Amino acid sequence: MLIDGQPADQIPLTDRGLQYGDGLFETIAIQDGRPCLWQRHMRRLQKGESALGFPPIDKELLWQEAHKLCTGRQQGVLKIVLTRGSGGRGYRPPDPCQPRRMLTTHPWPDYPQSWYDHGIVLRRCDTPISRQSRLAGIKHLNRLDQVLARAEWRDSAIVEGLMMDEMSNVISGTQSNIFLIKGDQLITPELSQAGIAGVVRELVLEFAGQYSLHPQVIKVGLDDLKQADALFITNSILGLCPVARFEDRQYDLSNIPSELVKFVENSYRADV
């Protein structure tokens, strides 16, 4: 673990990330000793810095620290947390602030191959996801919506939960973006008011046209999911994972182009 570039495992109680969730994070796959899709993660981090009014962190320095932690790891997870640093009691941000950066590595999760071969079960969550246009898309530290939603089930057969906003728009999973295929249309919810714009989501939208799919970013409702030919979820660790069942709807996994699945898998090493 590195805190501001130094080996450490403690931060001050005055850190605003701890006190107010005043910060950002990125969760990055490690493959062959390298953090994957680095530039895509850094672009989102930069958007988050701008949205929260942080002075931009030195991305080259961050790369050097990340490379130091990842070297020698065949596979794993790198987590970067960036907070506004320490400040006094009260919401008003310190001016100027001195952001604090924390980098940790973790074991690669033991996801069963059956998830990818046979698909997962998706459930609907009762907890709505909050709408806030200034925070939509970025990966800020305030994740209580997702914490409450994920606490709704303990059945290990259910892998992910679908989250909607208070206007019944489908937004995402608790830890993933969601896509549906209908004919040659590849549809994912628009995230101008809520949700995280995932780096693998971005990747899929950018390259879908090469696999005979026409991407659309639009409002999505429950009926759209139930009328879809196929569903899948994405995130930077899970990659692309098909959905076999949502409520009473079963999906045919063969409607997801196998070439797209392989492309996402290979993109981690190509770092596109």
Side-chain angles (χ1 to χ4, degrees):
M1 180 175 185
L2 296 178
I3 299 178
D4 292 336
Q6 301 300 316
D9 59 4
Q10 297 180 21
I11 61 172
L13 289 174
T14 53
D15 188 274
R16 290 180 61 89
L18 175 63
Q19 295 284 345
Y20 307 116
D22 188 1
L24 305 159
F25 73 105
E26 293 289 331
T27 307
I28 303 174
I30 302 169
Q31 296 283 358
D32 302 324
R34 287 173 51 86
C36 303
L37 304 176
W38 179 261
Q39 293 302 327
R40 292 180 184 273
H41 282 285
M42 290 304 100
R43 285 197 295 268
R44 183 173 60 188
L45 185 64
Q46 188 170 2
K47 289 178 182 177
E49 290 173 323
S50 178
L52 297 187
F54 284 19
I57 192 172
D58 184 338
K59 303 303 187 294
E60 179 60 31
L61 175 62
L62 197 62
W63 166 256
Q64 292 172 7
E65 294 174 355
H67 189 263
K68 179 179 180 180
L69 286 181
C70 294
T71 297
R73 289 180 175 267
Q74 186 67 22
Q75 196 174 40
V77 177
L78 170 69
K79 186 169 184 178
I80 298 173
V81 176
L82 181 64
T83 76
R84 203 182 297 269
S86 293
R89 194 193 69 80
Y91 293 134
R92 181 178 179 177
D95 186 18
C97 70
Q98 294 184 313
R100 178 171 286 117
R101 61 190 186 278
M102 292 164 270
L103 285 75
T104 57
T105 54
H106 308 269
W108 186 257
D110 187 21
Y111 294 142
Q113 185 59 39
S114 61
W115 290 4
Y116 300 92
D117 294 340
H118 306 297
I120 63 166
V121 177
L122 179 71
R123 78 181 296 276
R124 183 179 2 167
C125 295
D126 294 326
T127 305
I129 195 166
S130 301
R131 291 169 58 90
Q132 169 52 271
S133 60
R134 291 189 63 179
L135 299 178
I138 67 173
K139 206 160 186 180
H140 56 80
L141 290 178
N142 290 268
R143 296 290 119 201
L144 284 179
D145 292 347
Q146 286 82 356
V147 169
L148 293 176
R150 184 59 187 87
E152 290 182 19
W153 82 94
R154 296 190 178 276
D155 183 353
S156 61
I158 299 173
V159 172
E160 179 61 305
L162 180 73
M163 297 192 71
M164 306 172 69
D165 65 16
E166 292 179 346
M167 300 177 70
S168 297
N169 296 307
V170 171
I171 301 298
S172 66
T174 64
Q175 60 176 342
S176 63
N177 292 117
I178 189 162
F179 286 85
L180 55 131
I181 294 175
K182 191 170 185 180
D184 63 356
Q185 302 298 305
L186 177 69
I187 300 168
T188 195
E190 67 94 11
L191 304 177
S192 63
Q193 301 297 316
I196 295 173
V199 297
V200 180
R201 173 184 183 268
E202 176 188 70
L203 186 73
V204 170
L205 289 172
E206 189 175 324
F207 287 92
Q210 297 184 14
Y211 304 98
S212 303
L213 292 171
H214 301 284
Q216 294 188 52
V217 180
I218 59 176
K219 287 187 176 181
V220 175
L222 280 178
D223 287 345
D224 296 312
L225 267 62
K226 294 181 178 181
Q227 294 168 12
D229 299 321
L231 289 184
F232 63 86
I233 62 172
T234 62
N235 73 26
S236 60
I237 308 303
L238 189 67
L240 187 159
C241 187
V243 175
R245 179 167 60 87
F246 172 60
E247 296 186 338
D248 59 352
R249 179 73 166 87
Q250 299 278 344
Y251 299 95
D252 185 347
L253 274 58
S254 67
N255 288 321
I256 303 172
S258 59
E259 299 86 356
L260 177 61
V261 176
K262 183 60 68 175
F263 165 75
V264 171
E265 180 181 337
N266 291 338
S267 69
Y268 284 75
R269 290 180 171 82
D271 211 18
V272 295

